[in-house]
Amino acid sequence: IKENLSKQFDEVLEYSINVNSCIGSSVLTTGNLDYITQYKAILNSLTKDDVSDFIKKYLNPNKAAITVMHPEVEVDKIYENYDKANGMSFKAKSRTPLNTDNLENQVLDNNYKVSILSTPKNEVNLVLDLKCDLRNKGFNPAAIEILNLMLESGTEFKSYEEVNKLQELKNYDINASLNSKGLVLSLNSSKDKFDEAFDLLNELKNSPRLNKEEFDKAVKKMQDYLLRVNKSSNLLYTEYEASQSPYNDSLEDLKEGLKTVTLEDVNALYNYILNNSKGLASISVPKNDIEFKNIVLDEINSLPKTKLYNKQTINLYKENKNVVLLTDAKEVSQADISQVYNFKTFWEK
């Protein structure tokens, strides 16, 4: 472990941005540079007893705090909850490596390519990935960001607050997010709550809250974000990278897009995704429960048919024959420097 920590420290100090961060944090926190200058000496001097003493002093389970949420009931009921919590064990469950024998793949009738993992847990995790290349399709670049924000606002039939309350009461989680590669929906629930959770996820997929009120909120939120963006070396490179690739939009593209984006643009984008996606799904289900696994697969197979997934990649690598130096002015007293290396990558369609 010492060798790994020492190596990691050396790797951190290979980059000027990390050196700047270490110096700034060390001076601001302790008033000196001991963290940098004495790190390895302190690391090498550590003994097993030091680690053991630290664990006993700071990782003592008896010092843990547990918060118990309960409805409005009699005081005796509250103490019953306290006693239950007080009897909880802090011993972690043993972990076993992933057994590839528990993995299987299927292609369903609706063209969803599904990866299935059987686990000892009595719960289900589901990810629906609607792959869809949204670049160079003529969409307003701001529409993607606005739609991603609007997917957080609930469904056509349930507000953001109602969706959140349902998840809290039923103890399951659903999420939706969008990027230039398509739409991702995820679900995590106990086995007995799967049907309810999947219905809500499906409602979010089929009937997101894409109305004028939520559109205006999303535009305002994006405008506020753009006003707060601070100059940085990382941002400078990101903007340069966007200018070199047809698959990335710059902040300027986004700002210009916000001036003209409409609710109709957002709805057109979402309809395009639903009608032109390739469906991928990954699920983890309780082991040896074939009946429940088939229930989950039937639910996925009930979704509208997608295009058949066949992995395609695009080579985005462009070799810089000379060093590219990017500079900008910033009203601070300390330089912000990033050193970036380009290497071959592939963009999956």
Side-chain angles (χ1 to χ4, degrees):
I1 293 175
K2 281 186 175 183
E3 289 179 2
N4 286 337
L5 289 173
S6 180
K7 182 180 178 182
Q8 290 172 12
F9 186 73
D10 289 338
E11 290 172 349
V12 165
L13 297 183
E14 287 181 3
Y15 299 94
S16 59
I17 186 172
N18 295 334
V19 174
N20 290 341
S21 178
C22 287
I23 293 173
S25 299
S26 185
V27 172
L28 290 173
T29 305
T30 65
N32 55 56
L33 295 176
D34 288 352
Y35 174 79
I36 299 175
T37 58
Q38 302 299 319
Y39 180 87
K40 286 197 173 183
I42 295 172
L43 180 64
N44 291 330
S45 69
L46 285 176
T47 65
K48 293 180 182 179
D49 290 338
D50 292 330
V51 176
S52 180
D53 292 342
F54 174 87
I55 292 173
K56 291 176 182 177
K57 183 175 181 179
Y58 295 105
L59 304 183
N60 188 341
N62 296 321
K63 296 180 179 179
I66 302 175
T67 302
V68 180
M69 302 294 293
H70 58 82
E72 293 183 13
V73 294
E74 299 295 328
V75 174
D76 290 342
K77 290 288 183 181
I78 297 176
Y79 279 110
E80 284 180 18
N81 286 339
Y82 172 81
D83 290 336
K84 290 177 182 177
N86 201 36
M88 292 175 64
S89 170
F90 285 85
K91 185 178 179 181
K93 294 182 179 179
S94 59
R95 301 285 180 175
T96 55
L98 176 65
N99 185 352
T100 54
D101 292 337
N102 294 327
L103 283 169
E104 61 176 298
N105 296 289
Q106 293 187 28
V107 178
L108 304 182
D109 294 337
N110 61 354
N111 286 337
Y112 269 87
K113 184 177 180 181
V114 185
S115 297
I116 308 158
L117 173 65
S118 299
T119 73
K121 296 181 180 179
N122 194 36
E123 62 182 40
V124 57
N125 290 280
L126 165 67
V127 176
L128 299 176
D129 190 353
L130 296 176
K131 292 283 187 186
C132 189
D133 181 3
L134 301 178
R135 299 301 181 183
N136 295 328
K137 297 295 188 301
F139 292 113
N140 185 316
I144 295 176
E145 301 299 332
I146 296 300
L147 177 54
N148 185 46
L149 291 173
M150 294 181 73
L151 288 172
E152 301 174 356
S153 60
T155 75
E156 183 180 341
F157 313 104
K158 296 180 182 70
S159 67
Y160 166 82
E161 291 76 16
E162 290 170 327
V163 169
N164 272 3
K165 188 173 182 179
L166 264 178
Q167 294 180 83
E168 290 176 0
L169 290 174
K170 303 293 185 178
N171 195 28
Y172 56 72
D173 295 304
I174 65 167
N175 291 285
S177 62
L178 183 74
N179 57 40
S180 60
K181 297 181 182 179
L183 175 67
V184 178
L185 302 115
S186 63
L187 172 159
N188 176 259
S189 77
S190 60
K191 176 182 168 182
D192 60 316
K193 292 292 190 299
F194 171 73
D195 286 341
E196 293 179 48
F198 187 84
D199 286 345
L200 185 56
L201 187 72
N202 208 15
E203 182 179 314
L204 178 58
K205 172 182 174 290
N206 295 330
S207 306
R209 205 176 185 84
L210 305 183
N211 58 36
K212 185 66 167 61
E213 180 183 359
E214 298 301 336
F215 172 78
D216 290 341
K217 288 180 183 177
V219 170
K220 181 65 168 60
K221 190 173 184 178
M222 183 54 59
Q223 289 172 337
D224 290 344
Y225 163 75
L226 291 174
L227 287 174
R228 295 196 306 271
V229 172
N230 293 319
K231 290 181 179 180
S232 69
S233 57
N234 285 335
L235 178 61
L236 190 61
Y237 175 75
T238 301
E239 292 294 280
Y240 167 76
E241 188 180 38
S243 70
Q244 302 297 305
S245 169
Y247 293 95
N248 293 300
D249 291 319
S250 67
L251 286 181
E252 288 304 316
D253 294 329
L254 190 54
K255 289 176 182 178
E256 288 301 311
L258 276 176
K259 296 176 182 178
T260 59
V261 68
T262 65
L263 179 58
E264 288 72 25
D265 293 334
V266 174
N267 277 294
L269 172 62
Y270 196 67
N271 288 329
Y272 180 86
I273 294 170
L274 295 183
N275 294 318
N276 294 276
S277 295
K278 303 169 186 176
L280 291 175
S282 58
I283 59 174
S284 65
V285 291
K287 191 174 184 179
N288 299 325
D289 195 336
I290 297 175
E291 181 181 357
F292 180 68
K293 181 185 77 172
N294 289 334
I295 289 174
V296 176
L297 289 174
D298 287 343
E299 291 284 21
I300 298 173
N301 201 30
S302 70
L303 298 171
K305 195 170 186 176
T306 69
K307 294 184 176 181
L308 187 63
Y309 176 78
N310 57 322
K311 187 174 181 178
Q312 294 178 291
T313 56
I314 302 172
N315 184 7
L316 297 181
Y317 179 71
K318 291 183 179 180
E319 183 177 356
N320 288 330
K321 295 183 178 179
N322 298 300
V323 174
V324 177
L325 179 63
L326 308 171
T327 59
D328 198 356
K330 187 177 180 180
E331 294 181 359
V332 292
S333 58
Q334 186 175 3
D336 177 15
I337 304 172
S338 292
Q339 187 175 5
V340 181
Y341 295 93
N342 204 1
F343 56 92
K344 287 188 177 181
T345 55
F346 293 90
W347 197 84
E348 183 181 349
K349 292 182 68 175

